[in-house]
Amino acid sequence: EVQLQASGGGLVQAGGSLRLSCTASGFTFDDYAIGWFRQAPGKEREGVSCISSRAGSTYYSDSVKGRFTISSDNAKNTVYLHMNNLKPEDTAVYYCVANIVSAASSSWYCHNGMDYWGKGTLVTVSS
């Protein structure tokens, strides 16, 4: 059974930083896609950053490019989202998502979603 456990959300002032972590179980990081989506109140879900291992690509949405960095520790089956220079508009519930096979580009996954979703972690950025 695939499970995704996200952590690291919280309250931070604008300009601050947070690191989200997501530990995956039920599959290994060899052929995979993994990433982060977010949903703010009253807004559509947004693919923030995704990795596609087979395609060897990483995607960032325009709204976070240059501020957020996604990384993975394959030995720990963990993916991180390093968020810097946070803005109030980054306030949202962040979800870790994954596919156990990597058949498309990271951009495709961030625009179309993945098969497995973890419970979200709330990030609140105060102005």
Side-chain angles (χ1 to χ4, degrees):
E1 179 186 5
V2 174
Q3 292 188 337
L4 302 168
Q5 183 65 49
S7 61
L11 173 64
V12 64
Q13 287 188 331
S17 299
L18 280 176
R19 187 186 76 166
L20 304 184
S21 301
C22 173
T23 299
S25 60
F27 71 102
T28 56
F29 280 25
D30 45 15
D31 180 12
Y32 67 99
I34 199 161
W36 296 90
F37 277 65
R38 69 184 181 186
Q39 188 159 24
K43 294 189 177 180
E44 291 190 357
R45 188 182 66 190
E46 175 188 16
V48 174
S49 184
C50 296
I51 293 172
S52 176
S53 67
R54 193 184 303 182
S57 64
T58 303
Y59 169 86
Y60 295 96
S61 67
D62 288 342
S63 60
V64 307
K65 200 173 295 182
R67 300 187 298 120
F68 290 12
T69 303
I70 191 170
S71 64
S72 64
D73 185 334
N74 290 7
K76 294 183 179 179
N77 263 32
T78 298
V79 64
Y80 304 97
L81 187 67
H82 307 263
M83 306 185 294
N84 296 318
N85 191 20
L86 283 159
K87 303 176 180 180
E89 51 263 42
D90 294 318
T91 295
V93 177
Y94 285 71
Y95 297 92
C96 179
V97 297
N99 256 34
I100 61 174
V101 292
S102 168
S105 69
S106 55
S107 174
W108 188 94
Y109 283 118
C110 258
H111 284 91
N112 292 280
M114 301 188 196
D115 291 340
Y116 298 96
W117 290 68
K119 292 182 181 179
T121 184
L122 176 62
V123 172
T124 304
V125 184
S126 63
S127 58

